[in-house]
C-alpha cells in the first residue's frame, strides 16, 4: 500500500482507501488527460535500441492499463502516445505517420479488436513492430492472435517482456 500511495502521489492521482475486518481495498482515480499525453524516457536508462524505435503507440480501451503500460515503457526512451480505440488510431494516422511500434490490447471493447487496429497500422507502415497484449488466456484467443503473425504478451506485462517483444535488449 505504501508503494501505491507513493506512486499515486507522484503521478498526481487520487487514492481512495477502504478497510474492513476482511482487509483493505484501494482505488486510484486518474485524470483521463494523463493517458493522452506523450512522454519520453529519461537519460541513462538501462535499455538501448537494437532497431530505431522512436515512437510507440499504446492502444487499450482501459485508460488505467494504458497509463500503467506507459509508465512501464517510459524507461525505453521513446515517444509514447496512448489511444483507446481503432477509430482513434485511424484519426491519428490521418494526422501523423504510423508509429515505429505499437502495444495493442486484443479486446478493445467494441466490435473491432486489437488485430483490427494492428492491421490499420500495418497497412500504412509495413515495418511497424506490433505486439498484441491480452489478459484473456483462453486457447481460442491465443490461437487467433498467433495466427495473425503478431507476437502476443499475456497481462500483466513488465518492461523486460515488452523490450524483448520489441527486440530491445537490456544493457548489462
Amino acid at each position: 500500500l505504501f508503494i501505491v500511495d507513493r506512486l499515486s502521489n507522484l503521478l498526481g492521482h487520487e487514492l481512495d482507501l477502504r478497510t474492513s475486518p476482511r482487509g483493505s481495498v484501494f482505488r486510484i482515480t486518474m485524470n483521463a488527460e494523463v493517458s493522452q499525453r506523450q512522454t519520453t524516457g529519461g537519460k541513462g536508462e538501462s535499455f538501448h535500441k537494437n532497431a530505431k524505435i522512436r515512437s510507440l503507440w499504446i492502444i487499450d480501451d482501459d485508460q488505467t492499463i494504458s497509463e500503467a503500460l506507459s509508465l512501464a515503457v517510459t524507461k525505453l526512451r521513446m515517444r509514447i502516445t496512448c489511444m483507446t480505440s481503432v477509430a482513434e488510431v485511424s484519426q491519428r494516422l490521418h494526422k501523423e505517420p504510423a508509429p515505429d511500434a505499437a502495444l495493442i490490447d486484443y479486446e478493445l471493447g467494441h466490435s473491432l479488436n486489437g488485430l483490427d487496429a494492428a492491421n490499420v497500422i500495418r497497412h500504412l507502415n509495413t515495418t511497424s513492430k506490433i505486439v498484441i497484449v491480452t489478459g484473456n488466456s483462453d486457447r481460442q484467443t491465443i490461437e487467433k492472435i498467433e495466427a495473425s503473425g503478431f507476437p502476443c504478451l499475456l497481462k500483466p506485462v513488465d518492461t523486460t517482456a515488452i523490450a524483448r517483444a520489441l527486440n530491445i535488449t537490456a544493457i548489462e
Side-chain angles (χ1 to χ4, degrees):
L1 186 58
F2 172 77
I3 293 169
V4 171
D5 183 44
R6 175 87 172 122
L7 284 174
S8 65
N9 283 332
L10 285 172
L11 296 171
H13 301 313
E14 182 182 330
L15 177 66
D16 179 41
L17 174 66
R18 294 190 185 122
T19 58
S20 70
R22 294 178 30 207
S24 299
V25 175
F26 64 88
R27 175 179 36 218
I28 298 175
T29 305
M30 295 176 20
N31 183 345
E33 295 169 3
V34 173
S35 293
Q36 300 302 320
R37 72 179 181 186
Q38 294 185 349
T39 59
T40 304
K43 295 181 181 176
E45 300 295 340
S46 59
F47 290 87
H48 73 279
K49 298 176 230 168
N50 286 345
K52 293 182 181 179
I53 298 179
R54 294 175 299 276
S55 62
L56 174 71
W57 288 4
I58 297 173
I59 304 152
D60 196 307
D61 62 327
D62 185 330
Q63 292 181 337
T64 304
I65 293 173
S66 288
E67 182 66 16
L69 285 171
S70 178
L71 289 172
V73 298
T74 297
K75 68 176 71 173
L76 298 178
R77 302 180 69 193
M78 352 177 166
R79 190 184 79 230
I80 301 165
T81 303
C82 297
M83 286 170 265
T84 59
S85 67
V86 176
E88 193 173 352
V89 169
S90 295
Q91 290 171 357
R92 174 108 22 191
L93 286 168
H94 288 303
K95 298 176 187 173
E96 64 185 76
D100 297 319
L103 293 176
I104 306 172
D105 183 40
Y106 177 73
E107 294 179 24
L108 292 176
H110 301 288
S111 60
L112 300 176
N113 62 37
L115 295 178
D116 297 312
N119 288 322
V120 167
I121 293 169
R122 184 54 57 84
H123 178 72
L124 293 175
N125 184 352
T126 59
T127 62
S128 289
K129 291 186 177 191
I130 297 173
V131 177
I132 304 297
V133 181
T134 185
N136 188 345
S137 61
D138 75 77
R139 186 174 163 207
Q140 186 178 20
T141 299
I142 300 303
E143 286 175 355
K144 190 173 194 176
I145 295 169
E146 288 175 349
S148 74
F150 296 114
C152 178
L153 294 176
L154 291 177
K155 293 177 185 176
V157 297
D158 60 20
T159 307
T160 304
I162 294 167
R164 222 177 274 131
L166 294 173
N167 196 27
I168 303 169
T169 56
I171 297 173
E172 301 298 329

